[in-house]
Amino acid sequence: MSATHEVRGVGHSVERKEDARFIRGKGQYFDDIVLPGMLHMEILRSPYAHARLKSIDASAAEALPGVVAVVTGELMAQHNLAWMPTLSGDTQAVLVTDKVRYQGQEVACVIADSPYVAKDALELIEVDYEPLDAVTSPQQSSSEGAPLIRDEKEGQTDNHVYHWEAGDKDATDRAFAEADSVVSLDTFYPRVHPAPLECCGCIADVNPATGKATIYLTSQAPHAHRTLFAIVAGLPEQNIRIISPDIGGGFGNKVPIYPGYVVATAASLLLGRPVKWVEDRTGNLISTGFARDYHMRGELAVKGGKMTALRASLLSDQGAFYADAQPTKFRAGLFHIVTGSYDIPSAHVVADGWYTNKAPGGVAYRCSFRVTEASYLIERLVDNAAHELGVDATQFRLDNFIQPEQFPYESATGFVYDSGNYPEAMRIALEKLGYDDLRREQEAARADGRLLGIGIASFTEVVGAGHGKEYDIAGLRMFDSAELRVHPTGKAILKLGVKSQGQGHETTFGQIVAQELGIPTEDIEVQEGDTDNTPYGLGTYASRSTPVAGAATTVISRKLRDKARGIAAHLLEASPDDIEFEAGRFSVKGSPERAKTIQDVAFAAYTDLPDGMEAGLEGVTYYDPPNMTFPFGTYAVVVEVDRGTGQWKPVKVVAVDDCGVRINPMIVAGQIMGGLTEGYATAAMQKIDFDEDGNCIGSNFTDYLIPTAWETPEFDLGELTTPSPHHPLGAKGVGESATVGSPAAYVNAVIDALWHAGVKNIDMPLTPDKVWQAMHEAGIAE
């Protein structure tokens, strides 16, 4: 066995190291944690979407044996904790003091000896509400005479949250005036929910003797949460320790700070005992960070077969509080990636956010800050343009792609794309699909009365959250960190500022160290999630782990390798310039037999150093990326539609992704399949809806459907590798978001496939009854 194979660095499909404990039931998830003397907290939630709070009578609940305390907004206000800042610079109620603003909002909390007593006590709390009219859409929110949702905010006279623009309006207007044709589209990307397997939770343990607060939290960003806890609760930051254990899924849902976290911490501080809160499924679905909920209009100008300009306007449903988890500077996230994979000379994007009586908190759910919505809009427009112009949508894309020689490419909205080869991704996808043969099969199927459709979608995404000067969350620059320590025996510990929720960090980041230092992967321990024992970082979301923390890991590994080279030169009595390194072995140029292993050098770092060199082989680095990375791909879906029921079934799904250099191809493939499954779920079944009174329809897994292995189609994956020129490894990121374009690309490909099957002018969700109605109107239903 060669040393290179033993090391198993970048490019090897190493089995996930963390799975050894998970499949044996030895993982430590949040709800596994039990502390001595621990109390339990449950939350009373509002049944109304909008109502004035007239009074709360908690006397019966307080008298129930086992109840320790009932916490209300009035009590929190006495400690200046009734309101808290959001990640977007707004304020959010911790517990209601004036009125409820969405169904499921936190009204009061019961703290008891057991969760069962706490739940029973909730039913004894009497709340007197004065119902108010609810606002459930941006259109309704912006209409004349709409109820004012945020009447507590000084100077707030309407429900408008923000206005934001990108691009060049004048240049775009000129291009539209000169266009041969203009294609427009009004569409809605409905609200969906990340719905992680494990809901949110917090155990706050504030020691009254030391003032030290240890908070166990389902957190994707423990260091950022520690800073925000210090700001909200007024605790000294050095006295706060956040521990994020194994997390059963996140998908952006565990980035915000939720009221339950704050109340549990305040209660522990006041009671001097640990307080545990675990969210139930309904609480998770109706009150925590959602995704999408964008009403969009797009216009595409075409001249001589070329896309010349793009207009995009959107209304963002923010819910009752503006709590999006996204870069501060960009009010609509990174939606200005809406020009996608196309060489569009001019574009103008306008976004407006509006308060509604819904849960707040747009999150990066398999998308990097609203990128999925942007990808969805441009691909729908491109398909519609091809249909209206009577040209093949595949060729139309090929004619308008940014070409490989144009990179680095500056888009009309100001992004600088790092690298790409869009035509090649398309070619691979069509070849894997058997496109020409399928078109012939489609014609034969139509002759037999079968409805077969083929849909194509391309995407370019923007991930990693670039240079900290431009990108921050709540003022914290979006760098990340890596601390690497090599012990005398040649074993290593890597500590990171990010936090895995199932992406395989313990395996892939160990492979980076193995690649750079030649230490076998099994000799590398990766640690995350404990703020007392890891360097400060911004966490894991929006596919930023590999682009940022992966780069930090590479940089610190190379710094230690440079030091190790000097030690090896000392041991080999040679100049450092004459030392070569390969696969964990330092040798003298021209004399390969004169060599020392990384293990030899590590031992010498603590025992036999050159004069003047500091002992040890360890260090820490903070990586602030010079730019974001731009993964891309092309997806193709073949569907068959039942003419009698409207039920559609994916017959074949091809996905070609380019996420730059793949550290662990097996893990990347799994992440891509996860994103494709989410795309299928959005297309087929997932939607959080509301009635006119603001009641949430989708508050459980009976109403909010999650696809199982039974419904989920098989995926045929292809790949392309276009390294990012500015990333130390050439990686672009796949991580939690599966190259992030996949959900939108999948949905677009399905809609396009349905169009080619004769089901036209249909929008999400693509339910059988909606499909059948469109077929009926087209005269092709049975």
Side-chain angles (χ1 to χ4, degrees):
M1 184 180 293
S2 69
T4 301
H5 186 69
E6 290 174 353
V7 167
R8 297 186 299 168
V10 172
H12 289 264
S13 291
V14 177
E15 291 185 3
R16 288 174 29 125
K17 186 176 182 179
E18 45 270 75
D19 286 353
R21 69 177 186 275
F22 291 145
I23 63 176
R24 291 173 174 83
K26 299 300 183 181
Q28 187 184 50
Y29 294 96
F30 171 78
D31 206 25
D32 295 328
I33 300 170
V34 178
L35 302 181
M38 187 171 71
L39 300 171
H40 297 266
M41 187 179 88
E42 294 291 334
I43 294 176
L44 179 68
R45 299 185 181 277
S46 169
Y48 294 100
H50 202 192
R52 189 72 58 186
L53 182 66
K54 299 179 69 176
S55 66
I56 298 178
D57 183 355
S59 56
E62 292 169 334
L64 186 69
V67 171
V68 176
V70 176
V71 182
T72 63
E74 182 181 354
L75 178 60
M76 294 294 285
Q78 293 174 14
H79 297 275
N80 199 31
L81 290 174
W83 290 80
M84 65 181 186
T86 71
L87 294 176
S88 295
D90 197 3
T91 53
Q92 178 175 348
V94 176
L95 294 179
V96 175
T97 55
D98 54 349
K99 68 176 182 178
V100 298
R101 293 173 171 85
Y102 63 92
Q103 187 184 60
Q105 187 175 354
E106 300 82 355
V107 176
C109 294
V110 173
I111 299 163
D113 292 334
S114 79
Y116 308 105
V117 171
K119 284 183 180 293
D120 289 343
L122 292 182
E123 299 181 6
L124 301 177
I125 299 175
E126 296 184 3
V127 183
D128 187 7
Y129 297 100
E130 178 188 340
L132 303 171
D133 292 337
V135 176
T136 58
S137 72
Q139 293 86 347
Q140 187 180 356
S141 180
S142 59
S143 64
E144 186 177 352
L148 183 60
I149 297 172
R150 298 298 301 277
D151 51 352
E152 93 293 347
K153 295 188 70 171
E154 186 176 350
Q156 185 81 34
T157 58
D158 58 21
N159 293 318
H160 193 240
V161 182
Y162 68 79
H163 177 81
W164 177 81
E165 297 186 22
D168 188 329
K169 182 180 186 303
D170 291 340
T172 302
D173 288 345
R174 287 194 298 270
F176 269 90
E178 297 169 0
D180 295 336
S181 58
V182 173
V183 178
S184 62
L185 170 72
D186 289 284
T187 187
F188 173 50
Y189 208 128
R191 177 176 289 222
V192 295
H193 198 280
L197 287 177
E198 179 188 43
C199 296
C200 299
C202 171
I203 302 174
D205 183 13
V206 183
N207 189 317
T210 64
K212 178 78 174 181
T214 301
I215 302 172
Y216 299 86
L217 200 63
T218 51
S219 171
Q220 294 179 228
H223 288 278
H225 282 168
R226 184 187 66 191
T227 299
L228 294 172
F229 263 100
I231 293 170
V232 173
L235 296 170
E237 190 167 2
Q238 75 274 14
N239 286 354
I240 302 174
R241 179 185 185 186
I242 303 289
I243 299 176
S244 184
D246 293 325
I247 299 180
F251 310 107
N253 188 235
K254 294 168 183 174
V255 175
I257 287 183
Y258 296 115
Y261 301 167
V262 178
V263 178
T265 303
S268 179
L269 178 65
L270 294 174
L271 298 172
R273 292 173 65 181
V275 175
K276 181 176 186 177
W277 167 63
V278 182
E279 190 177 51
D280 60 25
R281 179 57 60 187
T282 293
N284 180 258
L285 287 172
I286 68 173
S287 72
T288 61
F290 66 93
R292 322 298 184 236
D293 217 341
Y294 264 22
H295 300 258
M296 299 178 285
R297 177 173 177 80
E299 294 177 287
L300 188 64
V302 181
K303 184 175 183 179
K306 295 289 187 178
M307 305 177 197
T308 57
L310 171 70
R311 287 194 189 112
S313 59
L314 60 97
L315 300 176
S316 175
D317 191 327
Q318 300 301 150
F321 310 108
Y322 183 33
D324 283 11
Q326 61 193 17
T328 303
K329 185 177 180 180
F330 304 106
R331 301 288 79 187
L334 305 181
F335 185 86
H336 41 316
I337 192 66
V338 69
T339 53
S341 307
Y342 307 103
D343 186 11
I344 303 177
S346 58
H348 186 231
V349 180
V350 177
D352 286 276
W354 295 89
Y355 290 122
T356 63
N357 291 120
K358 299 179 184 177
V363 298
Y365 171 35
R366 290 198 181 272
C367 86
S368 182
F369 309 121
R370 304 297 191 166
V371 168
T372 290
E373 292 90 322
S375 180
Y376 177 73
L377 180 61
I378 183 60
E379 288 303 298
R380 288 289 309 277
L381 271 172
V382 168
D383 277 328
N384 282 11
H387 300 330
E388 291 190 21
L389 294 171
V391 298
D392 180 77
T394 300
Q395 190 60 49
F396 186 55
R397 287 179 168 88
L398 288 169
D399 291 341
N400 284 277
F401 277 152
I402 302 163
Q403 297 302 305
E405 62 272 14
Q406 292 180 264
F407 292 93
Y409 173 86
E410 184 170 358
S411 77
T413 57
F415 282 131
V416 179
Y417 294 16
D418 52 358
S419 63
N421 190 341
Y422 306 145
E424 181 65 8
M426 174 73 79
R427 185 195 67 77
I428 295 172
L430 296 179
E431 183 179 299
K432 289 184 72 65
L433 187 70
Y435 184 73
D436 293 335
D437 290 340
L438 274 169
R439 284 296 183 203
R440 287 189 288 271
E441 181 182 339
Q442 182 183 34
E443 291 301 318
R446 285 176 178 168
D448 293 337
R450 294 167 51 218
L451 299 181
L452 194 69
I454 306 166
I456 307 288
S458 296
F459 62 90
T460 293
E461 309 304 336
V462 50
V463 305
H467 197 278
K469 186 178 180 180
E470 297 291 325
Y471 295 89
D472 72 89
I473 288 185
L476 299 171
R477 291 171 70 117
M478 297 187 71
F479 61 82
D480 230 289
S481 57
E483 178 183 324
L484 181 58
R485 179 177 303 159
V486 183
H487 297 308
T489 55
K491 316 297 184 182
I493 293 179
L494 174 66
K495 300 182 178 184
L496 299 168
V498 292
K499 180 68 184 84
S500 175
Q501 308 109 55
Q503 297 94 332
H505 286 185
E506 293 173 43
T507 304
T508 54
F509 285 98
Q511 288 180 257
I512 296 174
V513 176
Q515 177 75 20
E516 298 298 328
L517 289 179
I519 299 173
T521 54
E522 58 267 25
D523 289 346
I524 302 164
E525 176 77 13
V526 176
Q527 297 181 358
E528 301 176 327
D530 185 339
T531 59
D532 272 10
N533 294 305
T534 55
Y536 199 101
L538 268 289
T540 299
Y541 42 87
S543 278
R544 66 183 305 274
S545 292
T546 298
V548 189
T553 300
T554 306
V555 170
I556 192 58
S557 298
R558 291 176 181 176
K559 286 181 179 180
L560 297 195
R561 190 173 70 199
D562 288 342
K563 182 176 182 179
R565 185 187 304 276
I567 298 173
H570 166 71
L571 296 176
L572 295 167
E573 298 181 342
S575 168
D577 293 337
D578 292 331
I579 298 297
E580 296 179 326
F581 175 83
E582 184 178 2
R585 189 172 181 270
F586 296 91
S587 62
V588 180
K589 289 180 182 178
S591 301
E593 73 282 356
R594 293 178 58 198
K596 295 291 182 180
T597 66
I598 184 65
Q599 290 77 16
D600 295 330
V601 172
F603 192 74
Y606 299 88
T607 61
D608 185 6
L609 287 162
D611 291 342
M613 181 179 286
E614 187 178 40
L617 194 58
E618 61 181 70
V620 61
T621 195
Y622 292 83
Y623 182 82
D624 193 352
N627 188 16
M628 292 174 291
T629 59
F630 293 79
F632 62 92
T634 292
Y635 290 0
V637 178
V638 181
V639 302
E640 184 163 3
V641 187
D642 188 302
R643 295 175 62 186
T645 65
Q647 185 69 49
W648 58 272
K649 177 183 178 181
V651 177
K652 188 170 185 178
V653 180
V654 168
V656 177
D657 287 87
D658 189 326
C659 54
V661 172
R662 300 186 177 205
I663 298 168
N664 187 310
M666 177 184 68
I667 290 178
V668 169
Q671 293 294 322
I672 291 171
M673 289 182 186
L676 287 163
T677 302
E678 194 274 322
Y680 168 73
T682 303
M685 58 188 69
Q686 287 186 185
K687 181 184 180 183
I688 298 284
D689 208 352
F690 298 82
D691 67 15
E692 62 182 10
D693 294 321
N695 295 310
C696 180
I697 303 168
S699 61
N700 54 66
F701 283 161
T702 299
D703 297 320
Y704 189 70
L705 303 179
I706 302 294
T708 68
W710 180 261
E711 298 93 5
T712 304
E714 293 185 2
F715 307 120
D716 186 2
L717 305 185
E719 66 178 88
L720 186 64
T721 300
T722 310
S724 172
H726 64 76
H727 188 279
L729 280 178
K732 292 187 174 183
V734 59
E736 60 276 17
S737 301
T739 318
V740 305
S742 53
Y746 186 97
V747 173
N748 277 313
V750 169
I751 292 174
D752 187 35
L754 289 172
W755 191 94
H756 284 288
V759 186
K760 302 179 181 181
N761 302 319
I762 187 169
D763 223 334
M764 287 190 288
L766 309 173
T767 55
D769 57 338
K770 185 185 290 187
V771 171
W772 190 90
Q773 183 61 38
M775 292 164 58
H776 177 71
E777 292 172 0
I780 57 175
E782 288 185 347

